[in-house]
Amino acid sequence: MQLQASDVLDIALPAPTTLSSGQAVELPVESGSVTRTALLFTKSRGVTCVIAAGNAGTDPDTVGSFPDSGAVVVGGIIRDQPPAPVSFHVGSPSNTGSRVDCCACAGETTMLPRLAPATVRTVGEADAGTSVATSIVSGVVAAIQGRT
C-alpha cells in the first residue's frame, strides 16, 4: 500500500535508546536521524505522521538535542483512581516536555487481536502506554481528515 496525501501514518513504537550514561530510555522515533529524515519526507508528501512520545518518564529535550520532524508526538494520560474526583494526569511512564504535542488515554485499554500471527492477542487483552495513546490520536486525525 502506498501512502497518499491526507493519509495518516501511525508509528506507535518508541525508539529504545541508550544514553551516554548507559541508561536505557525510550524516545520518540524522530530522535533517530534516519527515521527523522523519513518522517520529514513523508510529511512533505502530505501525510500526517503521529508518533509515540515514549514511556521513559523523561523530557527528551533533557537527554539530547534533535530537530523536530513535523510529526505529532503523543504522550499518555491516565485517570486518577477512585475515590479521587474524576481527574487525569500525565501517565507516570509517559515522556513529557515541549516536543509532546498532545496526550490521550494511556491507561489500560481493551485491544482487538493484531493481524500479524506473531503478535496475536486475546480479544479483550488490555494494553497501556503511549502506543495506545498514539493509536487513539491517529484515529481522531483520520476522522477529522475524513479518512476511515
Side-chain angles (χ1 to χ4, degrees):
M1 179 176 163
Q2 190 171 13
L3 292 172
Q4 302 172 2
S6 79
D7 280 350
V8 179
L9 175 63
D10 177 319
I11 303 178
L13 299 173
T17 306
T18 302
L19 304 177
S20 58
S21 66
Q23 177 187 6
V25 297
E26 290 181 350
L27 296 176
V29 294
E30 71 176 5
S31 62
S33 63
V34 173
T35 308
R36 184 174 45 258
T37 300
L39 288 168
L40 287 166
F41 175 79
T42 304
K43 185 173 186 277
S44 75
R45 298 296 189 256
V47 175
T48 303
C49 301
V50 183
I51 64 175
N55 300 308
T58 189
D59 178 348
D61 290 334
T62 65
V63 296
S65 176
F66 50 93
D68 185 349
S69 68
V72 177
V73 181
V74 181
I77 57 173
I78 56 176
R79 182 174 186 259
D80 292 327
Q81 295 299 312
V86 176
S87 63
F88 295 87
H89 65 277
V90 173
S92 56
S94 178
N95 287 348
T96 59
S98 64
R99 282 298 301 120
V100 176
D101 297 306
C102 62
C103 292
C105 177
E108 288 191 7
T109 305
T110 302
M111 306 295 284
L112 295 175
R114 295 185 182 175
L115 298 178
T119 59
V120 170
R121 297 171 177 223
T122 304
V123 173
E125 182 178 350
D127 200 356
T130 58
S131 295
V132 171
T134 299
S135 297
I136 293 169
V137 170
S138 293
V140 171
V141 169
I144 290 170
Q145 293 181 174
R147 306 292 287 191
T148 55

